[in-house]
Amino acid sequence: MALRVESYHISLDVDFQGKKYAGKEIIKITGGDSRIELDCVNLDVIAVSENGKKVSFTNDRTSKILRVEGNQEESRELEIAFSASVSNTLKGFYLARNTNGVDMLTTQLASTGARSTFPSFDRPDLKAEFLLELIIDKNLDAVSNMPVESIEELPGERKKIRFGKTPRMSTYLLYFGIGKFSRTTEESEGVSYSVIVLEGNLSQPEFPIEIAKKCVKYFSDYFQINYMLPKLDLIAVPQFSAGAMENWGAMTFREILLLVTASTSFLQKRRIAAVIAHEIAHQWFGDLVTLRWWNDAWLNESFATFLMYGTIDRLYPKLFTTELFFNVRYEGALRGDSLLSSHPIVVEVSDPDSISEIFDEISYGKGASVLRMFESFLGEETFRNGVHNYLVAHSYENAESADLWNELGKASGKDVSGMMSDWVDRMGYPVVTVKMDRNRAHFTQERFTINGNKGDEIWSVPLFLRDASGPRAHLMEERTADIVVSESYHSGAGSEHGNGEQQPEEEKLVLNAGRLGFYRVHYDEPIALTIKRADAMSEEERWGTILDYFAFLISGRMDFESYLSIAESAIAWKQKMPIQLVADQLSQVLSITPESEKVRKFATYFLRKSLGIARERSAEDERFLELEGIISSRLAMIDREYALEVSAKFDKFEEVKPELRLGVAMGYAITSNSIDAMLRALGEMKTDEDRVKIISAMGWVSGKPAMDKVRQEIQNGKVKKQDMPSYYVQTAMNPANRDAFFEMFPEIVRNVQTVFSGGRTCSAMIESVFPVIGSSRESEARLLADRIRIPGVERGVAKALEYLTAYSRLREKVLKI
């Protein structure tokens, strides 16, 4: 009989000051073998009983398994006594201290943190009910997944808090936090919504609570299943490896992704809204129905990512968070999946320690993009019906990707499993080349890779087309396809695209209309004709064309002058997304060719022109105020005159508009080169958003002494551990710091991986900075790669080496101009 876990009754006696705890748990199970194996990491197991009788056990710290020699009875109760110290990493049950020295003890159990918190069957398919008791100091507060059921006063100024029993759920979704909290609560339609923060934290909780209430209502309607728990807490955690976590009924967030103040920028409000929507989507897709094993981890994250942006745009159209989807998820996935070291969306996971490395741009961004593509192809209502049927069929249980494809196939009458297999079971994606021959378009697909490697793969590609006859979709299942199209002029004023822009009267063929498909598009025609074709494109479509053509530049398919031609078009279009994308791309090119006067001159010209456009439109559209801030920070990095201009505002930093503060901090860091002044400013900041801006700008203070001082401040807690990567990434981007950073990089990698163990933060940092610091010294960099290839970052190093090849080739090409 297969093992089934019925429930955990966990009691923890927590020494808040001593940062340790003693635990007792009763685990009810049925089935299984006489020898029981539980996951157990860094826990001291004191005694084990089975059905009231002591039994022998072995706590194997090498295999991280607690082996209990029991009896093969149909129903058993395991009682385990254990103790442990609170972790100094950001995983398991750990200490989170804010910059004022106020402590919070909190949990992050995804993906494998439960086993280091209490002995457990720490795998997603072994769901159970949880009943939790916490014994803590009388002056402390506690929060968990369910409401407090009772509080019992104990001797010695202590108390026992008992929480209600959870629904059946996976171990990684259990949550508890202890500290001195402030709580704001609102009731709506039978659900209690709370924002919970450490006492003394500045916060305007109305915004996140409103977002939460509206999202719960929206998703209850979307899934046709009401929210299942009596409460939904949004908990701010001062030190957090992830951005947020979907613990059922007790969602946790970095403070920067939850706390709203008068200093919160428009961009940050957009991020906060989208992240809250993401975690709430998980309450159904991930919590109610959970992956059976980690190879399907993508489905949880992809679905929540797919829903988060569209949901917020429906609820708050002015936030236009779909732009964030394109800038972060879609772009990152296309970039990452162009590597031979990428991985399929569905990837085999055998080692729990390797789980973290698959929570990347493929699991989030590609998966979300593929779901978005096939929702558009199948139809929104059909797709939604299939999802509803899937959730109903597997509520409080586990499921696999195939279960969703089966329901979508039933709802649509199409071979969804066959179509999806192309996209989820193998890595990569195609570039579709279109060549016009009068009224006939000839399409060819081939795999796109950043280093030009060829393959013979063929995808089932939904071709989203728009021409004079309107939008349509065609499923391309062979290497080539020929379709009759119409290129002509509209009669009338035109129609609006998705972002509210007027469609031009001249209508040429646009492939990947609405940027709905997860593939790149190459128009086989002179670049001048492609720029002309862009007259018929929406803002998102122009953004996508520039995105693709920069990828063609990186991969060697396009020359630099042709790229500059289409990049400069963004100025004439005066639209935020294309301008911001080109600004980012030019900064990337300049980061690997800092000595190129040609690139610097063009980038300065482009950024100054863009700054003028942003300032003209910022009063009417907050997106352009956001753009002004982005352009300002980019310009400060390369134009000392501008850096001096904005640095004059640093003394009154908090009076500057929030969107423009990063540029001011960058300008001051570059022109003053005073790490002491930056650290003083950091100590004066009142919000994490402003702290991160100062920390990022500190990377542009040049010299090893400054770097050493910041690393010391990380150790003593003045710079939060969670913000280490923000500093290190910007330090690597600063050409004056490259040599010193190169030498200390192995130590930096070890430190970051220690703090973020169980996550992929360190891998992501390596992918970002290694190709930049190594592009001018490729041979040395390849030797350096061997020194940073430590457990947990192997995939990040492999990807970074591919980027290094591409960046070094681009550097050589650009410097010859």
Side-chain angles (χ1 to χ4, degrees), residues 635-651 663-675 677-678 697-702 734:
L635 189 57
M637 294 176 191
I638 65 172
D639 185 335
R640 189 169 182 84
E641 180 183 340
Y642 181 77
L644 282 167
E645 176 188 329
V646 293
S647 68
K649 303 173 184 177
F650 190 71
D651 287 343
V664 170
M666 288 285 190
Y668 185 81
I670 291 167
T671 55
S672 73
N673 208 44
S674 171
I675 196 63
M678 296 298 292
M698 289 194 305
W700 288 82
V701 177
S702 301
N734 180 354

Side-chain angles (χ1 to χ4, degrees), residues 467-485:
D467 59 11
S469 62
R472 55 199 159 116
H474 174 86
L475 188 65
M476 180 181 183
E477 298 181 280
E478 305 293 337
R479 186 166 303 281
T480 63
D482 289 281
I483 301 175
V484 174
V485 298

Side-chain angles (χ1 to χ4, degrees), residues 675-676 679 682 698 707-720:
I675 196 63
D676 290 332
L679 287 168
L682 178 65
M698 289 194 305
M707 296 167 67
D708 289 339
K709 183 166 283 192
V710 175
R711 293 168 74 200
Q712 182 59 45
E713 297 297 342
I714 292 170
Q715 290 300 313
N716 67 28
K718 188 167 184 178
V719 175
K720 288 184 179 183

Side-chain angles (χ1 to χ4, degrees), residues 184 195 201-209 258-264 269:
T184 301
V195 168
N201 272 16
L202 294 173
S203 178
Q204 297 172 2
E206 296 81 10
F207 181 72
I209 285 180
L258 183 62
L259 304 187
V260 176
T261 72
S263 291
T264 302
K269 285 182 180 177

